[in-house]
Amino acid sequence: MRQRRKRESSRPRQLGIIVAAVALVGVAGWFAGSQMQSPADAAAAHQAPKAGPVTAAVERRSLTASVVAQGSVEFASPRSLLLAGPVGPPDGGSGASGSTDDVVQRVTKAPAAGSEVKEGDVLMQVSGRPVLVLRGSVPMYRTLGPGTSGDDVKQLEQALARLGFDSGGTNGTYGQGDAAAVSRWYKSKGFHAQEPGVADKQQLGTLEAAVTSAQQALLAARNPGSGSGGSGSGTGGESGRLQLKAAQQQLDAANAALLAFQAGYGTKVPAGEVVFLPDLPARLDKVSVKIGDTPSGPVGTVTSSKVVVQAVVPSNDAKLLHKGMTAQVETPDGDKVQGELVALGGDVPKNDAGNGENPAGTSGGGGDDASAPVPVQISVPSGELTKKANGSAKVTVKVGASDSDVLTVPVAALHTSADGQAKVQVLRGSKVVDVAVKAGLSAEGQVEVTPSGDALKEGDQVVVGQ
């Protein structure tokens, strides 16, 4: 009886176990079935989604178009310094010899790099003689002295007057007043002006003696001795007339030679003792000689004391620029200065420092190549960026701006139809429609567009790719 009850009580437990096992097998079968795919189902699941247009939102914003270039900060107007010829004899003007051809000239005091050069300054010394600086656009190319005339003489007279050594006029002809002014100027600098040397004085004496001798010969021809014939007729008379004529010609030639020599006789300015520069004061940027050198080539380079920014831009950008535009100059350390575009392309001054390079290392730009570099020069206020010379700077020139906020789309969204009409494609639901627009200012990868009516508004999606 007890065993029967025991068997009856175990039956529900066995039934529960069987039911649980069946349920577990069912779940496992369902899970396995859900993870299994046919080859066709697997291929379909891994296919790329159907391609659709790539879009960007229409924006309302202001646009500013700028040309940006990297440039260099440089001192303006570099110019080579060359001596036009030899200096005078090294004896202070007394002239132990009348020529410097037999003396090797040496630098006895070299220029000082970085110094400021003002009008009337002694730039350097060669064989003890000064090389002086004056303002003038005509370069020194010859010795200036009595009898010379021209624009170079006139600018010498003007420079002497500015320095307080008035020559009595600026007529462009070197006279005694100029000689006296030059002597006073040299004396104020601690030097003797170049006066006639021994050879010149000897030559003057020789020419004066020739005139005296010719005068005596003429007197003798006019007053022949008692043995020369009485009336002067016949052969003796003809001979006397010929002698008189020859004596007169000899005197005329002697006088002409003396006058020609006296015209150039006196205090002179040797070709190598003055350098004319168009702008002063100037800054002595580089020095090419040292004490003991022979000054046969450039002795240095001078620049303006002002700095400019030299840069280059592509030809397409250069077409947007013109003189007088405002430019912002920014140095690597963040300093910003407002400048002005003063030269563009062929108007940029050529480098006259003797190294054959153009501003910013370009060939002048231009041509049909849209990427060909075009040089530009930016001036900055006096005193600005002087300490940043020989450094780099970023130049930004604003070339256009919208009057207010305007509708803009990415440049890639703008297309032109065969009839020349600009348009954009707008996504409307699942469709793409063309909207005609008028293109305006382009900047920062965006372009201003003006639609007809309300065909396009802020927030619309325009197609920029597929």
Side-chain angles (χ1 to χ4, degrees):
M1 185 73 173
R2 183 179 300 174
Q3 291 179 349
R4 182 179 176 182
R5 289 178 179 175
K6 186 176 181 180
R7 285 194 301 268
E8 289 177 352
S9 63
S10 64
R11 286 177 182 174
R13 181 182 302 173
Q14 292 174 351
L15 181 60
I17 292 172
I18 293 171
V19 171
V22 170
L24 182 60
V25 170
V27 170
W30 171 85
F31 179 78
S34 67
Q35 297 302 311
M36 294 179 64
Q37 291 180 320
S38 68
D41 290 340
H46 287 81
Q47 285 182 350
K50 186 177 181 180
V54 179
T55 61
V58 177
E59 300 180 25
R60 182 173 291 279
R61 51 174 291 189
S62 62
L63 280 182
T64 300
S66 301
V67 172
V68 181
Q70 194 69 20
S72 58
V73 182
E74 304 173 5
F75 284 101
S77 306
R79 179 180 295 271
S80 290
L81 284 176
L82 289 164
L83 304 189
V87 299
D91 57 2
S94 61
S97 69
S99 172
T100 59
D101 294 339
D102 55 347
V103 178
V104 177
Q105 301 202 340
R106 304 284 187 184
V107 175
T108 51
K109 185 176 181 181
S115 60
E116 184 182 57
V117 181
K118 302 183 295 297
E119 186 165 40
D121 281 355
V122 178
L123 174 70
M124 59 187 293
Q125 291 183 33
V126 177
S127 299
R129 298 291 297 166
V131 177
L132 299 137
V133 180
L134 295 176
R135 191 175 82 226
S137 58
V138 180
M140 190 75 166
Y141 64 94
R142 59 175 175 170
T143 293
L144 302 181
T148 57
S149 62
D151 290 338
D152 51 348
V153 176
K154 186 173 183 178
Q155 71 180 11
L156 171 66
E157 294 170 332
Q158 292 170 338
L160 289 171
R162 287 193 298 268
L163 294 171
F165 304 100
D166 191 0
S167 63
T170 56
N171 59 6
T173 298
Y174 195 107
Q176 292 303 315
D178 298 301
V182 167
S183 294
R184 296 196 304 272
W185 175 39
Y186 268 69
K187 186 177 180 180
S188 73
K189 294 297 180 181
F191 299 91
H192 293 285
Q194 189 62 51
E195 298 174 352
V198 172
D200 287 337
K201 293 176 180 178
Q202 290 175 343
Q203 179 69 7
L204 178 62
T206 299
L207 292 173
E208 289 174 338
V211 171
T212 300
S213 177
Q215 288 172 337
Q216 292 172 346
L218 180 60
L219 288 173
R222 286 176 177 174
N223 301 289
S226 58
S228 61
S231 63
S233 61
T235 305
E238 182 66 23
S239 176
R241 285 193 294 272
L242 291 175
Q243 289 178 358
L244 182 62
K245 182 178 181 181
Q248 184 63 56
Q249 290 176 339
Q250 184 178 4
L251 178 59
D252 291 344
N255 277 323
L258 178 61
L259 290 173
F261 184 78
Q262 286 177 330
Y265 184 83
T267 302
K268 302 176 182 180
V269 181
E273 293 192 8
V274 165
V275 174
F276 284 110
L277 295 175
D279 297 302
L280 289 172
R283 174 182 170 274
L284 191 55
D285 187 53
K286 298 176 182 177
V287 172
S288 307
V289 294
K290 61 182 182 298
I291 293 177
D293 286 349
T294 300
S296 57
V299 298
T301 302
V302 293
T303 66
S304 167
S305 56
K306 289 185 60 178
V307 296
V308 295
V309 180
Q310 307 278 18
V312 293
V313 297
S315 290
N316 279 347
D317 288 347
K319 295 174 183 177
L320 305 174
L321 304 177
H322 60 80
K323 293 180 184 179
M325 298 182 80
T326 300
Q328 184 183 74
V329 179
E330 182 177 358
T331 58
D333 57 4
D335 284 353
K336 295 181 180 180
V337 176
Q338 290 294 109
E340 180 183 348
L341 197 158
V342 294
L344 175 68
D347 294 331
V348 175
K350 296 296 186 294
N351 189 336
D352 190 32
N355 56 15
E357 294 182 358
N358 286 320
T362 73
S363 60
D368 297 329
D369 186 354
S371 63
V374 176
V376 296
Q377 186 179 89
I378 309 298
S379 69
V380 296
S382 181
E384 297 284 358
L385 301 184
T386 302
K387 295 182 179 179
K388 306 297 176 65
N390 302 317
S392 62
K394 183 176 75 171
V395 176
T396 303
V397 183
K398 180 179 174 182
V399 296
S402 58
D403 295 332
S404 59
D405 287 351
V406 294
L407 289 178
T408 68
V409 298
V411 173
L414 190 65
H415 305 279
T416 303
S417 59
D419 59 359
Q421 173 64 55
K423 64 180 182 178
V424 294
Q425 293 183 314
V426 183
L427 184 64
R428 306 247 190 241
S430 60
K431 296 182 179 180
V432 174
V433 298
D434 289 341
V435 174
V437 296
K438 180 180 179 181
L441 182 68
S442 176
E444 304 168 14
Q446 297 281 316
V447 59
E448 175 188 356
V449 291
T450 303
S452 299
D454 297 329
L456 189 69
K457 61 183 184 298
E458 182 180 7
D460 282 349
Q461 296 294 314
V462 291
V463 177
V464 296
Q466 296 293 333

